[in-house]
mmCIF file of all heavy atoms in Angstrom:
data_model
loop_
_atom_site.group_PDB
_atom_site.id
_atom_site.type_symbol
_atom_site.label_atom_id
_atom_site.label_comp_id
_atom_site.label_asym_id
_atom_site.label_seq_id
_atom_site.Cartn_x
_atom_site.Cartn_y
_atom_site.Cartn_z
ATOM 1 N N LYS B 779 16.497 -33.949 43.720
ATOM 2 C CA LYS B 779 17.034 -33.734 45.072
ATOM 3 C C LYS B 779 17.837 -32.432 45.120
ATOM 4 O O LYS B 779 17.668 -31.622 46.033
ATOM 5 C CB LYS B 779 17.940 -34.902 45.410
ATOM 6 C CG LYS B 779 18.102 -35.126 46.878
ATOM 7 C CD LYS B 779 16.944 -35.933 47.462
ATOM 8 C CE LYS B 779 17.154 -36.040 48.952
ATOM 9 N NZ LYS B 779 16.144 -36.809 49.625
ATOM 10 N N THR B 780 18.712 -32.263 44.152
ATOM 11 C CA THR B 780 19.554 -31.056 44.204
ATOM 12 C C THR B 780 19.013 -29.961 43.320
ATOM 13 O O THR B 780 19.564 -28.853 43.283
ATOM 14 C CB THR B 780 20.954 -31.361 43.693
ATOM 15 O OG1 THR B 780 20.853 -32.013 42.439
ATOM 16 C CG2 THR B 780 21.707 -32.330 44.646
ATOM 17 N N ASN B 781 17.934 -30.242 42.634
ATOM 18 C CA ASN B 781 17.335 -29.261 41.733
ATOM 19 C C ASN B 781 18.326 -28.724 40.710
ATOM 20 O O ASN B 781 18.568 -27.531 40.617
ATOM 21 C CB ASN B 781 16.727 -28.116 42.523
ATOM 22 C CG ASN B 781 15.537 -27.534 41.789
ATOM 23 O OD1 ASN B 781 15.204 -27.979 40.689
ATOM 24 N ND2 ASN B 781 14.907 -26.530 42.373
ATOM 25 N N ALA B 782 18.875 -29.649 39.993
ATOM 26 C CA ALA B 782 19.861 -29.248 39.010
ATOM 27 C C ALA B 782 19.710 -30.053 37.736
ATOM 28 O O ALA B 782 19.027 -31.080 37.712
ATOM 29 C CB ALA B 782 21.281 -29.494 39.554
ATOM 30 N N ILE B 783 20.271 -29.528 36.665
ATOM 31 C CA ILE B 783 20.280 -30.294 35.407
ATOM 32 C C ILE B 783 21.526 -31.101 35.374
ATOM 33 O O ILE B 783 22.643 -30.559 35.612
ATOM 34 C CB ILE B 783 20.240 -29.321 34.214
ATOM 35 C CG1 ILE B 783 19.190 -28.246 34.389
ATOM 36 C CG2 ILE B 783 20.026 -30.080 32.925
ATOM 37 C CD1 ILE B 783 19.350 -27.106 33.424
ATOM 38 N N VAL B 784 21.361 -32.372 35.097
ATOM 39 C CA VAL B 784 22.557 -33.213 34.956
ATOM 40 C C VAL B 784 22.738 -33.534 33.472
ATOM 41 O O VAL B 784 21.837 -34.124 32.869
ATOM 42 C CB VAL B 784 22.397 -34.534 35.736
ATOM 43 C CG1 VAL B 784 23.662 -35.375 35.644
ATOM 44 C CG2 VAL B 784 22.024 -34.224 37.191
ATOM 45 N N PHE B 785 23.801 -33.096 32.938
ATOM 46 C CA PHE B 785 24.048 -33.350 31.509
ATOM 47 C C PHE B 785 24.672 -34.711 31.336
ATOM 48 O O PHE B 785 25.562 -35.098 32.092
ATOM 49 C CB PHE B 785 24.942 -32.270 30.916
ATOM 50 C CG PHE B 785 24.262 -30.931 30.873
ATOM 51 C CD1 PHE B 785 24.479 -29.989 31.886
ATOM 52 C CD2 PHE B 785 23.399 -30.638 29.864
ATOM 53 C CE1 PHE B 785 23.856 -28.774 31.843
ATOM 54 C CE2 PHE B 785 22.736 -29.414 29.813
ATOM 55 C CZ PHE B 785 22.977 -28.523 30.783
ATOM 56 N N THR B 786 24.147 -35.404 30.392
ATOM 57 C CA THR B 786 24.707 -36.730 30.111
ATOM 58 C C THR B 786 25.996 -36.565 29.306
ATOM 59 O O THR B 786 25.954 -35.911 28.283
ATOM 60 C CB THR B 786 23.715 -37.572 29.350
ATOM 61 O OG1 THR B 786 22.410 -37.207 29.805
ATOM 62 C CG2 THR B 786 23.932 -39.046 29.591
ATOM 63 N N ALA B 787 27.044 -37.147 29.812
ATOM 64 C CA ALA B 787 28.324 -36.969 29.101
ATOM 65 C C ALA B 787 28.387 -37.942 27.908
ATOM 66 O O ALA B 787 27.676 -38.972 27.863
ATOM 67 C CB ALA B 787 29.480 -37.239 30.045
ATOM 68 N N GLY B 788 29.193 -37.607 27.021
ATOM 69 C CA GLY B 788 29.490 -38.520 25.948
ATOM 70 C C GLY B 788 28.423 -38.671 24.886
ATOM 71 O O GLY B 788 28.410 -39.657 24.165
ATOM 72 N N VAL B 789 27.516 -37.746 24.842
ATOM 73 C CA VAL B 789 26.488 -37.892 23.796
ATOM 74 C C VAL B 789 26.808 -37.023 22.618
ATOM 75 O O VAL B 789 26.154 -37.107 21.571
ATOM 76 C CB VAL B 789 25.097 -37.521 24.293
ATOM 77 C CG1 VAL B 789 24.492 -38.664 25.088
ATOM 78 C CG2 VAL B 789 25.155 -36.288 25.134
ATOM 79 N N GLU B 790 27.833 -36.228 22.755
ATOM 80 C CA GLU B 790 28.270 -35.443 21.598
ATOM 81 C C GLU B 790 28.877 -36.406 20.607
ATOM 82 O O GLU B 790 29.891 -37.077 20.888
ATOM 83 C CB GLU B 790 29.323 -34.389 22.023
ATOM 84 C CG GLU B 790 28.695 -33.141 22.533
ATOM 85 C CD GLU B 790 27.953 -32.412 21.425
ATOM 86 O OE1 GLU B 790 28.625 -31.959 20.473
ATOM 87 O OE2 GLU B 790 26.714 -32.294 21.504
ATOM 88 N N TYR B 791 28.254 -36.495 19.471
ATOM 89 C CA TYR B 791 28.745 -37.437 18.500
ATOM 90 C C TYR B 791 29.961 -36.933 17.745
ATOM 91 O O TYR B 791 30.052 -35.714 17.532
ATOM 92 C CB TYR B 791 27.668 -37.785 17.464
ATOM 93 C CG TYR B 791 26.434 -38.440 18.083
ATOM 94 C CD1 TYR B 791 25.210 -38.220 17.536
ATOM 95 C CD2 TYR B 791 26.589 -39.316 19.177
ATOM 96 C CE1 TYR B 791 24.098 -38.819 18.082
ATOM 97 C CE2 TYR B 791 25.456 -39.888 19.704
ATOM 98 C CZ TYR B 791 24.219 -39.666 19.185
ATOM 99 O OH TYR B 791 23.153 -40.246 19.757
ATOM 100 N N SER B 792 30.813 -37.846 17.392
ATOM 101 C CA SER B 792 31.931 -37.431 16.543
ATOM 102 C C SER B 792 31.429 -37.191 15.145
ATOM 103 O O SER B 792 30.295 -37.549 14.788
ATOM 104 C CB SER B 792 32.994 -38.501 16.562
ATOM 105 O OG SER B 792 32.545 -39.615 15.796
ATOM 106 N N ARG B 793 32.269 -36.648 14.330
ATOM 107 C CA ARG B 793 31.890 -36.372 12.963
ATOM 108 C C ARG B 793 31.533 -37.603 12.207
ATOM 109 O O ARG B 793 30.508 -37.658 11.493
ATOM 110 C CB ARG B 793 33.015 -35.619 12.255
ATOM 111 C CG ARG B 793 32.634 -35.084 10.923
ATOM 112 C CD ARG B 793 33.649 -34.081 10.358
ATOM 113 N NE ARG B 793 33.391 -33.846 8.983
ATOM 114 C CZ ARG B 793 32.377 -33.138 8.516
ATOM 115 N NH1 ARG B 793 31.511 -32.581 9.349
ATOM 116 N NH2 ARG B 793 32.201 -32.961 7.217
ATOM 117 N N LEU B 794 32.341 -38.641 12.439
ATOM 118 C CA LEU B 794 32.118 -39.898 11.764
ATOM 119 C C LEU B 794 30.719 -40.452 12.133
ATOM 120 O O LEU B 794 29.979 -40.906 11.300
ATOM 121 C CB LEU B 794 33.194 -40.897 12.129
ATOM 122 C CG LEU B 794 33.016 -42.286 11.541
ATOM 123 C CD1 LEU B 794 33.081 -42.237 10.035
ATOM 124 C CD2 LEU B 794 33.985 -43.285 12.109
ATOM 125 N N GLN B 795 30.441 -40.365 13.432
ATOM 126 C CA GLN B 795 29.175 -40.902 13.903
ATOM 127 C C GLN B 795 27.984 -40.135 13.279
ATOM 128 O O GLN B 795 26.993 -40.734 12.865
ATOM 129 C CB GLN B 795 29.121 -40.845 15.409
ATOM 130 C CG GLN B 795 30.007 -41.894 16.065
ATOM 131 C CD GLN B 795 30.171 -41.675 17.562
ATOM 132 O OE1 GLN B 795 30.108 -40.550 18.045
ATOM 133 N NE2 GLN B 795 30.365 -42.761 18.281
ATOM 134 N N ASN B 796 28.151 -38.855 13.272
ATOM 135 C CA ASN B 796 27.116 -38.024 12.678
ATOM 136 C C ASN B 796 26.872 -38.395 11.217
ATOM 137 O O ASN B 796 25.726 -38.529 10.777
ATOM 138 C CB ASN B 796 27.506 -36.549 12.738
ATOM 139 C CG ASN B 796 26.915 -35.910 13.938
ATOM 140 O OD1 ASN B 796 25.793 -36.240 14.376
ATOM 141 N ND2 ASN B 796 27.626 -34.922 14.525
ATOM 142 N N LEU B 797 27.985 -38.591 10.530
ATOM 143 C CA LEU B 797 27.860 -38.916 9.099
ATOM 144 C C LEU B 797 27.215 -40.280 8.940
ATOM 145 O O LEU B 797 26.388 -40.478 8.025
ATOM 146 C CB LEU B 797 29.234 -38.855 8.446
ATOM 147 C CG LEU B 797 29.763 -37.468 8.251
ATOM 148 C CD1 LEU B 797 31.186 -37.521 7.680
ATOM 149 C CD2 LEU B 797 28.891 -36.687 7.249
ATOM 150 N N ALA B 798 27.559 -41.202 9.816
ATOM 151 C CA ALA B 798 26.992 -42.536 9.726
ATOM 152 C C ALA B 798 25.474 -42.454 9.869
ATOM 153 O O ALA B 798 24.700 -43.071 9.142
ATOM 154 C CB ALA B 798 27.593 -43.430 10.789
ATOM 155 N N LEU B 799 25.041 -41.662 10.843
ATOM 156 C CA LEU B 799 23.586 -41.455 11.066
ATOM 157 C C LEU B 799 22.923 -40.851 9.834
ATOM 158 O O LEU B 799 21.867 -41.325 9.407
ATOM 159 C CB LEU B 799 23.357 -40.585 12.291
ATOM 160 C CG LEU B 799 23.505 -41.272 13.636
ATOM 161 C CD1 LEU B 799 23.372 -40.237 14.756
ATOM 162 C CD2 LEU B 799 22.491 -42.368 13.796
ATOM 163 N N ALA B 800 23.594 -39.820 9.297
ATOM 164 C CA ALA B 800 23.032 -39.159 8.144
ATOM 165 C C ALA B 800 22.908 -40.151 6.981
ATOM 166 O O ALA B 800 21.903 -40.192 6.293
ATOM 167 C CB ALA B 800 23.890 -38.007 7.745
ATOM 168 N N LEU B 801 23.943 -40.981 6.837
ATOM 169 C CA LEU B 801 23.949 -41.938 5.732
ATOM 170 C C LEU B 801 22.780 -42.944 5.900
ATOM 171 O O LEU B 801 22.053 -43.232 4.938
ATOM 172 C CB LEU B 801 25.273 -42.733 5.711
ATOM 173 C CG LEU B 801 25.333 -43.812 4.655
ATOM 174 C CD1 LEU B 801 25.312 -43.175 3.270
ATOM 175 C CD2 LEU B 801 26.601 -44.660 4.830
ATOM 176 N N SER B 802 22.586 -43.419 7.120
ATOM 177 C CA SER B 802 21.517 -44.377 7.302
ATOM 178 C C SER B 802 20.148 -43.741 7.010
ATOM 179 O O SER B 802 19.288 -44.325 6.418
ATOM 180 C CB SER B 802 21.555 -44.959 8.739
ATOM 181 O OG SER B 802 21.329 -43.917 9.629
ATOM 182 N N ASP B 803 20.052 -42.477 7.413
ATOM 183 C CA ASP B 803 18.801 -41.780 7.084
ATOM 184 C C ASP B 803 18.577 -41.697 5.623
ATOM 185 O O ASP B 803 17.459 -41.968 5.090
ATOM 186 C CB ASP B 803 18.901 -40.345 7.639
ATOM 187 C CG ASP B 803 18.223 -40.216 8.984
ATOM 188 O OD1 ASP B 803 17.542 -41.166 9.376
ATOM 189 O OD2 ASP B 803 18.390 -39.144 9.647
ATOM 190 N N LYS B 804 19.608 -41.302 4.916
ATOM 191 C CA LYS B 804 19.499 -41.130 3.455
ATOM 192 C C LYS B 804 19.105 -42.420 2.770
ATOM 193 O O LYS B 804 18.344 -42.438 1.863
ATOM 194 C CB LYS B 804 20.824 -40.607 2.885
ATOM 195 C CG LYS B 804 21.122 -39.190 3.261
ATOM 196 C CD LYS B 804 20.656 -38.189 2.210
ATOM 197 C CE LYS B 804 20.478 -36.813 2.734
ATOM 198 N NZ LYS B 804 21.762 -36.190 3.146
ATOM 199 N N ALA B 805 19.737 -43.505 3.255
ATOM 200 C CA ALA B 805 19.468 -44.830 2.685
ATOM 201 C C ALA B 805 17.988 -45.167 2.822
ATOM 202 O O ALA B 805 17.340 -45.608 1.851
ATOM 203 C CB ALA B 805 20.325 -45.895 3.344
ATOM 204 N N VAL B 806 17.453 -44.893 4.001
ATOM 205 C CA VAL B 806 16.034 -45.184 4.213
ATOM 206 C C VAL B 806 15.161 -44.346 3.298
ATOM 207 O O VAL B 806 14.221 -44.806 2.687
ATOM 208 C CB VAL B 806 15.674 -44.979 5.688
ATOM 209 C CG1 VAL B 806 14.132 -45.126 5.895
ATOM 210 C CG2 VAL B 806 16.405 -45.952 6.580
ATOM 211 N N GLN B 807 15.560 -43.065 3.196
ATOM 212 C CA GLN B 807 14.776 -42.145 2.308
ATOM 213 C C GLN B 807 14.779 -42.662 0.894
ATOM 214 O O GLN B 807 13.771 -42.659 0.220
ATOM 215 C CB GLN B 807 15.387 -40.774 2.345
ATOM 216 C CG GLN B 807 14.890 -39.906 3.497
ATOM 217 C CD GLN B 807 15.642 -38.631 3.603
ATOM 218 O OE1 GLN B 807 16.242 -38.168 2.630
ATOM 219 N NE2 GLN B 807 15.635 -38.069 4.825
ATOM 220 N N LEU B 808 15.955 -43.061 0.470
ATOM 221 C CA LEU B 808 16.085 -43.527 -0.919
ATOM 222 C C LEU B 808 15.155 -44.699 -1.158
ATOM 223 O O LEU B 808 14.477 -44.798 -2.166
ATOM 224 C CB LEU B 808 17.554 -43.986 -1.165
ATOM 225 C CG LEU B 808 17.872 -44.375 -2.590
ATOM 226 C CD1 LEU B 808 17.786 -43.177 -3.519
ATOM 227 C CD2 LEU B 808 19.271 -45.010 -2.638
ATOM 228 N N LEU B 809 15.145 -45.610 -0.199
ATOM 229 C CA LEU B 809 14.332 -46.787 -0.346
ATOM 230 C C LEU B 809 12.831 -46.412 -0.351
ATOM 231 O O LEU B 809 12.044 -46.954 -1.080
ATOM 232 C CB LEU B 809 14.616 -47.736 0.809
ATOM 233 C CG LEU B 809 14.243 -49.187 0.580
ATOM 234 C CD1 LEU B 809 14.879 -49.720 -0.689
ATOM 235 C CD2 LEU B 809 14.729 -50.024 1.743
ATOM 236 N N ASP B 810 12.518 -45.405 0.500
ATOM 237 C CA ASP B 810 11.102 -44.990 0.600
ATOM 238 C C ASP B 810 10.669 -44.371 -0.727
ATOM 239 O O ASP B 810 9.460 -44.419 -1.047
ATOM 240 C CB ASP B 810 10.954 -43.977 1.729
ATOM 241 C CG ASP B 810 10.916 -44.677 3.049
ATOM 242 O OD1 ASP B 810 10.720 -45.874 3.098
ATOM 243 O OD2 ASP B 810 11.161 -43.957 4.089
ATOM 244 N N SER B 811 11.606 -43.746 -1.412
ATOM 245 C CA SER B 811 11.157 -43.027 -2.611
ATOM 246 C C SER B 811 10.947 -43.939 -3.794
ATOM 247 O O SER B 811 10.442 -43.535 -4.829
ATOM 248 C CB SER B 811 12.205 -41.972 -2.971
ATOM 249 O OG SER B 811 13.405 -42.592 -3.329
ATOM 250 N N TYR B 812 11.269 -45.211 -3.627
ATOM 251 C CA TYR B 812 11.005 -46.148 -4.738
ATOM 252 C C TYR B 812 9.500 -46.358 -4.860
ATOM 253 O O TYR B 812 8.827 -46.599 -3.890
ATOM 254 C CB TYR B 812 11.767 -47.470 -4.504
ATOM 255 C CG TYR B 812 11.461 -48.492 -5.586
ATOM 256 C CD1 TYR B 812 12.144 -48.392 -6.795
ATOM 257 C CD2 TYR B 812 10.534 -49.479 -5.430
ATOM 258 C CE1 TYR B 812 11.926 -49.293 -7.818
ATOM 259 C CE2 TYR B 812 10.261 -50.392 -6.432
ATOM 260 C CZ TYR B 812 10.976 -50.331 -7.629
ATOM 261 O OH TYR B 812 10.773 -51.201 -8.628
ATOM 262 N N LYS B 813 9.069 -46.297 -6.091
ATOM 263 C CA LYS B 813 7.636 -46.444 -6.270
ATOM 264 C C LYS B 813 7.325 -47.783 -6.876
ATOM 265 O O LYS B 813 7.850 -48.166 -7.951
ATOM 266 C CB LYS B 813 7.098 -45.325 -7.209
ATOM 267 C CG LYS B 813 6.999 -44.026 -6.518
ATOM 268 C CD LYS B 813 6.137 -43.086 -7.328
ATOM 269 C CE LYS B 813 6.104 -41.686 -6.717
ATOM 270 N NZ LYS B 813 7.366 -40.949 -6.943
ATOM 271 N N TYR B 814 6.502 -48.542 -6.207
ATOM 272 C CA TYR B 814 6.067 -49.812 -6.769
ATOM 273 C C TYR B 814 4.938 -49.512 -7.759
ATOM 274 O O TYR B 814 3.968 -48.843 -7.457
ATOM 275 C CB TYR B 814 5.489 -50.703 -5.643
ATOM 276 C CG TYR B 814 6.584 -51.186 -4.724
ATOM 277 C CD1 TYR B 814 6.895 -50.454 -3.601
ATOM 278 C CD2 TYR B 814 7.234 -52.354 -4.988
ATOM 279 C CE1 TYR B 814 7.881 -50.908 -2.733
ATOM 280 C CE2 TYR B 814 8.213 -52.807 -4.151
ATOM 281 C CZ TYR B 814 8.546 -52.059 -2.997
ATOM 282 O OH TYR B 814 9.534 -52.502 -2.193
ATOM 283 N N ARG B 815 5.138 -50.057 -8.954
ATOM 284 C CA ARG B 815 4.051 -49.814 -9.931
ATOM 285 C C ARG B 815 3.431 -51.124 -10.355
ATOM 286 O O ARG B 815 4.041 -52.139 -10.309
ATOM 287 C CB ARG B 815 4.598 -49.055 -11.138
ATOM 288 C CG ARG B 815 4.117 -47.618 -11.156
ATOM 289 C CD ARG B 815 4.964 -46.806 -12.105
ATOM 290 N NE ARG B 815 6.354 -46.832 -11.566
ATOM 291 C CZ ARG B 815 7.382 -46.394 -12.297
ATOM 292 N NH1 ARG B 815 7.245 -45.968 -13.516
ATOM 293 N NH2 ARG B 815 8.595 -46.386 -11.778
#
Side-chain angles (χ1 to χ4, degrees):
Chain B
K779 204 84 183 181
T780 53
N781 210 359
I783 312 166
V784 183
F785 293 96
T786 326
V789 280
E790 276 293 295
Y791 297 148
S792 72
R793 188 167 167 72
L794 176 65
Q795 286 171 330
N796 265 326
L797 287 174
L799 282 175
L801 178 65
S802 62
D803 263 350
K804 290 266 160 67
V806 173
Q807 275 171 23
L808 185 67
L809 202 54
D810 283 342
S811 65
Y812 179 78
K813 285 195 184 74
Y814 291 90
R815 252 163 297 168

